[in-house]
Structure formats: structure tokens, C-alpha cells
Amino acid sequence: MDEEPRPSDGRTGKRRRRDPQASQEAILDATRAELNERGYGRMTIRGVAARAGVTHGLVMRHFGTKEKLFLAAIPGPQRLDAALTGDPATLAERIAHAYVERMEAADSADPFVALIRSAAANDPTANRLYSAMQEYSTAAYRTVLEGPDVDARVDLLAAVLLGVTFSRYVVREGALASMEPSVLSAHLAGLLRPLVQPRHAGPADGDPQP
């Protein structure tokens, strides 16, 4: 089994074995710090490795590509998968709650906030990565949403959340920025409900109502 590279012990000159999980956490922490300081476009695998105190090869072995490293540093995709599981009648509330809970725990160094800042500055690399994230979200939503206009509704849902992210967590000004999280979650659920439960998805005209 390969050893996780670690700086040698100055007293013995021998390399010490490093916990792979600790290495991954150090790499992810370094990724978030690099994103905050440099943005996705200027972030490099070598820069992340140097900050984490590991080799370039170790980062590649754990994560494979820069894009996969970024996605691993963001908890959003995993939270989305969890939010989509459950009663369809409460899907809008679960999406809104998961989003608000995740973003309220974020700070200015959060990689998703850093990505939005880079995309707002018209960074083409950040734009491509944001598009890749949207493709992931669309595929996830399609597992629970139906209808011929599902892609348009998913794009509208993403636009709502992107607008809130920019206003509340990037600009941080106005009524939206000062709103209580529980109030924000309730408003979001109301905005998202027609997108995840469109009227045409209910009983057809003339059908008995429950």
C-alpha cells in the first residue's frame, strides 16, 4: 500500500505515515482557501498541494481533476441529493431548508460563494464550472420532477437560488441580507413550489379532487 507523503521528521530523517482521511481534509481546506484568495480560474493543483503540505501527485490521486476537487470542496451536491429524497408534497420546503441551512453556515471563504464572485466578474473558467454544476443539478432534479418543461423549471429554480446567493451572501445588502433564515426559507419555499409542483402536474380538469 502506498504511503501518504508527509514531511520528514527532523529528528529521525524518516517519513511518517499520514492518515489518508487527514490528507484529504487538508487538501479540501487548502482548496477552499485558494478559491477564496485566487478564484477558481487562478487556482492551481500545485498551489493547493503546496498549501496543504502534500505532493501534486497525491492531490491528483485523491481527486483526479481540478473540477472534481472543486466539487468535492462544496457540500451543495450532497445536500441536494438528500433534499430530493422524501414526500413530493414537501419537496419545495426541503430544497429551501437545505439551501438556507447550507448557505447560512458559509462564510466569505466558502468555495461556492467564491465561484459566484468569479462568475460575476465574467471569469470564463468559473462560468464553465458553474455550467457543469448546473448539469449535475438538472440531472438530480430530473429524478423527481416530471413534465415536458422540466429543464426550464430547473433553470428557473437555479436562477432564484443564484439571485438569493448573490444578494444575501455576496453583496450582503438590503432587506434580503437582513432577513431571518426561517423567514427566508419560508419565502423560498413559496417561490419554488410552483416550479417543483406545477399546476399541470396535478389532477386533470374534471378529475375528482382529493
Side-chain angles (χ1 to χ4, degrees):
M1 181 180 294
D2 292 341
E3 278 194 353
E4 297 284 317
R6 186 184 180 106
S8 62
D9 187 322
R11 292 169 297 178
T12 65
K14 297 180 180 179
R15 289 186 178 276
R16 294 170 290 176
R17 188 176 298 275
R18 186 171 189 172
D19 178 9
Q21 183 63 36
S23 292
Q24 291 187 36
E25 289 302 321
I27 292 168
L28 292 175
D29 285 344
T31 300
R32 297 180 187 111
E34 286 285 297
L35 282 166
N36 183 52
E37 292 182 9
R38 302 173 62 81
Y40 182 80
R42 295 193 299 128
M43 183 189 84
T44 65
I45 296 294
R46 293 192 183 281
V48 169
R51 185 184 287 264
V54 299
T55 65
H56 174 274
L58 182 62
V59 177
M60 297 300 292
R61 188 161 79 237
H62 278 307
F63 298 100
T65 66
K66 180 179 174 180
E67 180 177 304
K68 290 180 180 178
L69 174 60
F70 175 85
L71 293 176
I74 300 179
Q78 296 84 354
R79 294 200 180 193
L80 174 59
D81 290 339
L84 296 181
T85 303
D87 185 354
T90 58
L91 178 58
E93 285 76 12
R94 293 198 307 276
I95 294 172
H97 176 77
Y99 167 81
V100 172
E101 183 180 56
R102 180 259 184 279
M103 294 306 300
E104 288 299 303
D107 56 26
S108 61
D110 184 87
F112 182 65
V113 175
L115 175 65
I116 297 303
R117 284 200 302 265
S118 294
N122 201 30
D123 181 334
T125 307
N127 291 339
R128 288 195 299 271
L129 184 58
Y130 182 77
S131 295
M133 291 176 60
Q134 284 303 99
E135 290 177 7
Y136 178 96
S137 298
T138 298
Y141 282 122
R142 285 189 69 93
T143 65
V144 295
L145 301 183
E146 298 178 349
D149 60 346
V150 64
D151 288 341
R153 288 189 281 123
V154 170
D155 276 355
L156 286 168
L157 189 156
V160 171
L161 298 182
L162 178 61
V164 173
T165 301
F166 190 76
S167 295
R168 183 177 175 91
Y169 303 104
V170 177
V171 177
R172 296 175 178 267
E173 293 183 2
L176 188 59
S178 60
M179 190 177 293
E180 287 294 322
S182 60
V183 176
L184 173 61
S185 183
H187 280 305
L188 272 178
L191 290 170
L192 300 182
R193 194 172 296 111
L195 298 175
V196 301
Q197 294 177 299
R199 294 185 63 182
H200 60 69
D205 291 343
D207 288 350
Q209 297 296 318

